[in-house]
Amino acid sequence: MRRFLDLADFERDEISALLELARRLEKCPEPHALAGKILGLLFFNPSLRTLASMQAGMARLGGTSFVITPGQGTWQLETKLGAIMNGAAAEHVREGIPVLASYCDALGIRAFADGKDLAYDLAETNFNAMAELVDKPLINLESAANHPCQALADWKTMDDLQVPRGGRFVLSWAYHPRPLPLAVPSAAVHMAAMRGMEVIVARPEGFALPPMIMDKARKAAARSGGSVRETADLTDALQGADIIYAKEWGSTAHYGDVAGDARLRAELQSWCVRNDWFAKAASECRLMHCLPVRRNTAIADEVLDSPRSIVQREAYNRLVVQTAVLYQMLKGV
Amino acid sequence: MRRFLDLADFERDEISALLELARRLEKCPEPHALAGKILGLLFFNPSLRTLASMQAGMARLGGTSFVITPGQGTWQLETKLGAIMNGAAAEHVREGIPVLASYCDALGIRAFADGKDLAYDLAETNFNAMAELVDKPLINLESAANHPCQALADWKTMDDLQVPRGGRFVLSWAYHPRPLPLAVPSAAVHMAAMRGMEVIVARPEGFALPPMIMDKARKAAARSGGSVRETADLTDALQGADIIYAKEWGSTAHYGDVAGDARLRAELQSWCVRNDWFAKAASECRLMHCLPVRRNTAIADEVLDSPRSIVQREAYNRLVVQTAVLYQMLKGV
Amino acid sequence: MRRFLDLADFERDEISALLELARRLEKCPEPHALAGKILGLLFFNPSLRTLASMQAGMARLGGTSFVITPGQGTWQLETKLGAIMNGAAAEHVREGIPVLASYCDALGIRAFADGKDLAYDLAETNFNAMAELVDKPLINLESAANHPCQALADWKTMDDLQVPRGGRFVLSWAYHPRPLPLAVPSAAVHMAAMRGMEVIVARPEGFALPPMIMDKARKAAARSGGSVRETADLTDALQGADIIYAKEWGSTAHYGDVAGDARLRAELQSWCVRNDWFAKAASECRLMHCLPVRRNTAIADEVLDSPRSIVQREAYNRLVVQTAVLYQMLKGV
């Protein structure tokens, strides 16, 4: 495996094999598998799980990592082509990224959406421009519209708990004080569709997922026997849910327009997941969230502290599945 | 050993065994003892010695560490229960800490005192709430009112230099422009009392150590044959001292009241340790301090640069004793 | 090797042997050579290449590193002797540096010029004061007026590409919005002179390199058969150049005087390296730069993106030569 950028780049069989490898390495660790290998980690945005679990994953396999955080101990990096660099950024990614790639055996990059132009972000303009500069194995640690490590961990989490392949997966919008990127909702609907689930996206008016994201998920559903639909009727969506996957994101009707987004958002504080959301769900219905989550804003304490919540297992599975990705990418290379 | 949170959790014999192990590993390193083991380090506050020596200690034993610093490359973490998280913190410790614990074999946490409510801080409310969330071995890297790694290193430092078990240990308040936490003075008086020393706390009026701290030290003294008393008469305290342990802390009479503290503090700039402090001390009397120290504010150059100062050895012993703690915690687990 | 602070501390034969070792380790890695060894890295200033490549170099040899960045997760460190520390810095380097040295097998320090007093900076007052406190092997990761790791990488880069030992090496001043330190120009002219090249420094009036730097380079040239001269006539300098080494630096006529520097600088935006700079150069003439570089400010895209540019190879060679330095310093110690 040279690149782990999007679950859509893989066949279902390949994902199954990767999850099988993850389970094997979890049971039978191989502490010397990546001895002498180096993973470079480039974070343009904050991180807790990714930062810790990527380092831990390399260490579990006997490898090493280094972390670069532009603006914190490192120069700010310019990403725009043709820029006349007389501002804050001291270095361009066209230099910085190939240099970092030359110091390691694989590189991981996190670069969130700009949040100004929807088409620009959906096209992964920024991430792709950087990816083109990397001649080593590359991992997407969350880009404008994707988060394959999270999606893979979520898939394994549902497998672990025997959530039915054809079960009902409700991705519900949740309240947050500010607009957040589309990376996780986009990755989650595609992953659930690819897993063969009945996917329902429940979100207020003005927060519909872009057609490009929905179409990609529908294409995956068509191959797996799943389905994908969208609704503003939360009550209806939650009926019979096997999974409620809560996620905050910005208004797509007002993308890049903070004031327009805020006007809609102000009325939506009731989209905080509470126990009563599970009233008509399947009895075993679980709560998923990629974390970080704002308690009592996006999800109430009563839900996060209940046995329905499997957010800890999702986070732990980040380590487990990434270990498999690193192994497959770097072992024997 | 599952937890290293407070020297008071151990018997004197156990501390002696730990120091013996530290000396053994210093002489005969075991560079593969913790191969494959991972230490997570969570720093809510700045660090130099702890940050470097914990990483170095793991590396000396063949293990690996990762460092998480909320607010620097990582989200700010909320610590209060029941918080409605619509402010700066993006994640709650109730999620963040179990997640980090799931990525490592042992976790170290540094979380200084809030400095607002004395009872809240003395009860270790904050640290204990986090400790409850950790199901892995846990190390206190300095909490509101404790610093066991420092205390253990100080103990070893005195043993190294054959400072008598029954010698006179003077903990003296020292000037600092701002109120600092009670963690080190609290840990130092308890440690010296547990070691069997004649402990004298010399501090200006308004800076008495809280009864809870003094009582704990007195209890340790009662078991070890030591003693503990407090005085505002510095000259008297310094007579015959074997150790002058300088430390800055905030007014306990005005805890959390910066203005009240500042009024007292303004008159106390003479509490800067100078050579003449040693005039009536024992001839071999040493100067100890946990570092960082402000030169010519808390302690004069003439003292820090003299052979009396053993602050470097204390700092070096942080590495030595922590290596033993990590070994005992993680070897064979 | 106990110290790697300045290429001038070594004979040409020793540099050749170091470069030979670098080539050998590049071809035949020794992934266990430094098992159990620890490198401490202390960065007073931002870094990308140095930060990543020093960690990668230790990892390639089986060793470990820790990174300390004063003011980011660590206290600010005071460097002035005799300071009354009632300001922002919580710790003095006289404590901090020996402590860090005691935790590792070798220490690397980066500390840029103060940029106020030229004599103070040229004398390496700051770096030398810190170096005196270190009783372990020490690496200069860029000081006020030196950058030996960069110089060694640049030397190897020219060897790799068979740039003639007696070829023409033009160090040209390049535009930057602010005055930058003299470390790289100083190290580059000395390195090229020591390599035996015909060195020409091309710079606007007011930006002459200080006599101390030129004299040191001339001394090296005298031993190697090279030469060193300086000119304000860029067109003349570029004729027949084998290497154009672009570098930004501050006015030496107005050192520490930002306004005076800015007045000169405002007229110098044409000193941005473009394709036409190579018109009368040797046909194989290459563009070198230590990075980071501001695109279209110091060097145009058309040059950086052309085959003339060997900046990536210079950066990659940082890893290669530093691995040799670390190996020679720490192997068998």
Side-chain angles (χ1 to χ4, degrees):
Chain A
M1 191 197 303
R2 288 285 298 175
R3 305 218 146 188
F4 186 72
L5 305 184
D6 185 351
L7 287 203
D9 296 338
F10 300 87
E11 298 296 326
R12 252 178 76 139
D13 285 357
E14 294 173 301
I15 298 296
S16 295
L18 203 48
L19 292 175
E20 189 50 45
L21 173 62
R23 276 184 289 269
R24 195 194 88 202
L25 290 170
E26 194 184 5
K27 271 187 210 151
C28 316
E30 296 194 19
H32 305 292
L34 300 188
K37 299 290 189 208
I38 299 171
L39 174 68
L41 295 167
L42 177 57
F43 284 93
F44 287 92
N45 308 96
S47 173
L48 182 124
R49 271 150 293 281
T50 305
L51 179 58
S53 63
M54 292 304 301
Q55 292 180 82
M58 277 305 279
R60 288 281 184 233
L61 295 167
T64 311
S65 322
F66 63 79
V67 177
I68 295 292
T69 313
Q72 289 194 335
T74 303
W75 339 94
Q76 286 184 47
L77 293 181
E78 176 64 57
T79 56
K80 300 291 178 281
L81 283 180
I84 296 168
M85 294 174 56
N86 50 15
E91 180 152 16
H92 199 285
V93 292
R94 287 180 71 82
E95 273 69 54
I97 287 191
V99 166
L100 291 176
S102 77
Y103 296 157
C104 59
D105 299 294
L107 190 66
I109 301 179
R110 163 167 287 199
F112 289 175
D114 273 11
K116 289 168 201 148
D117 183 274
L118 182 58
Y120 181 93
D121 285 342
L122 287 178
E124 298 283 15
T125 317
N126 211 355
F127 191 89
N128 286 346
M130 293 195 275
E132 272 174 31
L133 301 168
V134 179
D135 62 353
K136 295 279 176 72
L138 178 65
I139 303 176
N140 179 344
L141 303 178
E142 186 173 338
S143 60
N146 221 323
H147 198 348
C149 294
Q150 185 65 48
L152 192 62
D154 290 342
W155 187 318
K156 179 172 184 296
T157 303
M158 289 192 284
D159 285 0
D160 287 352
L161 297 165
Q162 298 172 298
V163 175
R165 288 246 160 172
R168 181 174 285 198
F169 180 97
V170 180
L171 171 72
S172 173
W173 190 85
Y175 178 76
H176 188 282
R178 288 189 315 277
L180 294 192
L182 293 164
V184 169
S186 168
V189 288
H190 175 267
M191 174 277 298
M194 191 176 176
R195 193 172 177 266
M197 303 182 80
E198 181 196 349
V199 179
I200 307 177
V201 180
R203 70 327 175 251
E205 296 302 343
F207 292 84
L209 291 183
M212 195 173 168
I213 290 175
M214 293 301 283
D215 289 349
K216 182 177 164 185
R218 283 198 184 97
K219 222 161 110 185
R223 293 173 59 103
S224 68
S227 66
V228 179
R229 66 180 177 92
E230 210 169 359
T231 177
D233 184 342
L234 179 63
T235 312
D236 177 62
L238 296 173
Q239 287 211 11
D242 293 291
I243 294 291
I244 300 176
Y245 194 110
K247 185 67 192 90
E248 315 82 348
W249 67 84
S251 166
T252 44
H254 298 274
Y255 200 85
D257 165 15
V258 178
D261 175 285
R263 271 193 306 276
L264 289 187
R265 189 173 293 278
E267 309 298 317
L268 297 168
Q269 304 200 14
S270 65
W271 289 70
C272 172
V273 185
R274 300 194 181 278
N275 275 344
D276 57 16
W277 285 37
F278 296 83
K280 297 195 175 165
S283 62
E284 291 287 287
C285 180
R286 311 285 193 157
L287 180 276
M288 295 180 76
H289 189 281
C290 63
L291 304 182
V293 66
R294 290 169 172 261
R295 282 179 165 248
N296 304 313
T297 301
I299 308 178
D301 281 346
E302 64 187 21
V303 178
L304 281 166
D305 295 334
S306 80
R308 291 200 183 278
S309 168
I310 55 174
V311 299
Q312 293 293 343
R313 185 182 276 262
E314 289 174 84
Y316 167 68
N317 273 329
R318 290 289 305 277
L319 171 62
V320 179
V321 301
Q322 289 162 193
T323 304
V325 169
L326 292 165
Y327 185 95
Q328 191 141 318
M329 211 168 232
L330 291 171
K331 181 78 174 91
V333 173
Chain B
M1 191 197 303
R2 288 285 299 175
R3 306 218 146 189
F4 186 72
L5 304 184
D6 184 351
L7 288 204
D9 297 338
F10 300 87
E11 298 297 326
R12 252 177 79 139
D13 285 357
E14 293 173 301
I15 298 296
S16 296
L18 203 48
L19 293 174
E20 190 51 45
L21 173 62
R23 276 184 290 268
R24 196 193 88 203
L25 290 170
E26 194 183 3
K27 270 187 211 150
C28 315
E30 297 194 18
H32 304 292
L34 301 188
K37 299 290 187 208
I38 299 170
L39 174 68
L41 294 167
L42 176 58
F43 284 93
F44 287 92
N45 308 96
S47 172
L48 183 125
R49 271 150 292 280
T50 305
L51 180 59
S53 63
M54 292 303 301
Q55 290 181 83
M58 277 305 278
R60 288 282 184 232
L61 295 167
T64 312
S65 322
F66 62 79
V67 177
I68 296 291
T69 312
Q72 290 194 335
T74 304
W75 339 93
Q76 285 184 48
L77 293 180
E78 176 64 58
T79 56
K80 300 290 179 281
L81 284 179
I84 296 169
M85 292 175 57
N86 51 14
E91 180 152 18
H92 199 285
V93 292
R94 287 179 71 83
E95 271 70 53
I97 289 192
V99 165
L100 291 176
S102 77
Y103 296 158
C104 59
D105 299 294
L107 189 66
I109 301 179
R110 163 166 287 197
F112 289 176
D114 272 12
K116 289 169 202 148
D117 183 275
L118 182 57
Y120 181 93
D121 285 342
L122 288 177
E124 298 284 14
T125 317
N126 211 354
F127 190 90
N128 286 346
M130 293 195 276
E132 272 173 32
L133 301 168
V134 179
D135 61 354
K136 295 278 176 73
L138 177 66
I139 304 176
N140 179 345
L141 303 179
E142 187 174 337
S143 59
N146 221 324
H147 197 347
C149 295
Q150 185 65 47
L152 191 62
D154 290 342
W155 188 319
K156 179 172 183 298
T157 303
M158 289 193 283
D159 285 0
D160 287 353
L161 296 166
Q162 298 172 298
V163 176
R165 289 246 159 173
R168 181 175 285 198
F169 180 98
V170 180
L171 171 72
S172 173
W173 189 85
Y175 178 77
H176 188 282
R178 288 189 315 277
L180 294 192
L182 294 163
V184 169
S186 168
V189 289
H190 175 267
M191 174 277 298
M194 192 176 176
R195 193 172 176 266
M197 302 183 81
E198 182 196 350
V199 180
I200 308 177
V201 180
R203 72 318 176 257
E205 297 300 344
F207 293 83
L209 291 182
M212 196 172 166
I213 290 175
M214 293 301 284
D215 290 349
K216 182 178 165 186
R218 284 199 183 95
K219 223 160 110 186
R223 293 173 59 105
S224 68
S227 66
V228 179
R229 69 182 174 91
E230 211 170 357
T231 177
D233 184 341
L234 179 63
T235 312
D236 177 60
L238 297 173
Q239 286 211 12
D242 293 291
I243 293 291
I244 300 176
Y245 194 112
K247 185 66 192 89
E248 315 82 348
W249 67 86
S251 166
T252 43
H254 298 275
Y255 200 86
D257 165 14
V258 177
D261 176 285
R263 273 194 306 275
L264 289 187
R265 188 173 294 279
E267 308 298 316
L268 297 168
Q269 305 201 13
S270 64
W271 289 71
C272 172
V273 185
R274 301 194 179 276
N275 275 343
D276 57 14
W277 286 37
F278 295 83
K280 297 196 174 165
S283 61
E284 291 288 287
C285 180
R286 311 285 194 157
L287 179 276
M288 295 180 76
H289 188 282
C290 62
L291 305 180
V293 67
R294 289 167 171 263
R295 283 180 164 249
N296 305 313
T297 301
I299 307 178
D301 281 346
E302 64 187 19
V303 178
L304 281 165
D305 295 333
S306 80
R308 292 199 183 279
S309 168
I310 54 174
V311 300
Q312 293 292 343
R313 185 182 276 262
E314 289 174 84
Y316 167 67
N317 272 328
R318 290 288 305 278
L319 171 62
V320 179
V321 302
Q322 288 162 193
T323 304
V325 169
L326 291 165
Y327 185 96
Q328 191 141 319
M329 211 167 231
L330 291 171
K331 180 81 173 88
V333 172
Chain C
M1 191 196 305
R2 288 285 298 175
R3 305 217 147 190
F4 186 72
L5 305 183
D6 185 351
L7 288 204
D9 296 338
F10 299 87
E11 298 296 327
R12 253 178 76 139
D13 285 357
E14 294 173 301
I15 298 296
S16 296
L18 203 48
L19 292 174
E20 190 50 46
L21 174 61
R23 277 184 290 267
R24 196 193 88 203
L25 290 170
E26 193 183 5
K27 270 186 211 150
C28 315
E30 296 194 19
H32 304 293
L34 300 189
K37 298 290 187 209
I38 299 171
L39 174 68
L41 295 167
L42 176 58
F43 284 93
F44 286 92
N45 308 96
S47 173
L48 183 125
R49 271 151 292 281
T50 306
L51 179 59
S53 63
M54 293 303 302
Q55 291 180 83
M58 277 304 279
R60 287 281 184 234
L61 296 167
T64 311
S65 321
F66 63 79
V67 177
I68 296 291
T69 312
Q72 289 193 337
T74 303
W75 339 95
Q76 285 185 46
L77 293 180
E78 175 64 58
T79 56
K80 300 288 178 286
L81 283 179
I84 296 169
M85 293 174 57
N86 50 16
E91 180 152 18
H92 199 284
V93 291
R94 287 180 71 81
E95 272 69 52
I97 289 191
V99 165
L100 291 176
S102 78
Y103 296 156
C104 58
D105 299 295
L107 190 66
I109 301 179
R110 163 165 287 198
F112 290 176
D114 272 12
K116 289 169 202 149
D117 183 274
L118 182 57
Y120 180 93
D121 285 342
L122 288 177
E124 297 283 15
T125 317
N126 210 354
F127 190 89
N128 287 346
M130 293 194 275
E132 272 174 32
L133 301 168
V134 179
D135 63 353
K136 295 279 175 73
L138 178 65
I139 304 176
N140 179 344
L141 303 178
E142 187 174 337
S143 60
N146 221 323
H147 197 347
C149 294
Q150 184 65 46
L152 191 62
D154 290 341
W155 188 318
K156 179 173 184 294
T157 303
M158 289 193 284
D159 285 0
D160 287 353
L161 297 166
Q162 298 171 298
V163 176
R165 287 246 160 173
R168 181 173 286 197
F169 180 98
V170 180
L171 172 72
S172 174
W173 189 85
Y175 178 76
H176 189 281
R178 287 189 316 277
L180 294 193
L182 294 163
V184 169
S186 169
V189 289
H190 175 268
M191 175 275 298
M194 191 175 176
R195 193 171 176 267
M197 302 183 82
E198 182 196 349
V199 179
I200 307 176
V201 181
R203 65 337 174 243
E205 296 301 343
F207 292 83
L209 291 183
M212 196 172 167
I213 290 175
M214 293 301 283
D215 290 349
K216 182 178 165 185
R218 284 199 183 96
K219 224 160 107 185
R223 292 172 60 104
S224 68
S227 66
V228 179
R229 67 180 175 93
E230 210 170 358
T231 177
D233 184 341
L234 179 63
T235 312
D236 177 61
L238 296 173
Q239 287 211 9
D242 293 290
I243 294 292
I244 299 175
Y245 194 111
K247 185 68 192 89
E248 315 82 345
W249 67 86
S251 166
T252 44
H254 298 275
Y255 199 86
D257 165 14
V258 177
D261 176 284
R263 273 193 306 274
L264 290 186
R265 188 173 295 278
E267 309 297 317
L268 297 168
Q269 305 201 12
S270 64
W271 289 71
C272 173
V273 185
R274 300 194 180 277
N275 274 344
D276 57 16
W277 285 39
F278 295 83
K280 298 197 173 165
S283 61
E284 291 288 286
C285 180
R286 311 285 193 157
L287 180 277
M288 295 180 76
H289 189 282
C290 62
L291 304 182
V293 66
R294 288 167 172 264
R295 283 179 165 249
N296 304 313
T297 301
I299 307 178
D301 282 346
E302 64 187 21
V303 179
L304 282 166
D305 295 334
S306 80
R308 292 200 183 279
S309 168
I310 55 174
V311 299
Q312 293 292 343
R313 186 183 275 263
E314 289 175 84
Y316 167 67
N317 273 328
R318 291 287 307 276
L319 171 62
V320 179
V321 302
Q322 290 162 194
T323 303
V325 169
L326 291 166
Y327 185 95
Q328 191 141 318
M329 211 168 232
L330 291 171
K331 181 80 173 87
V333 173

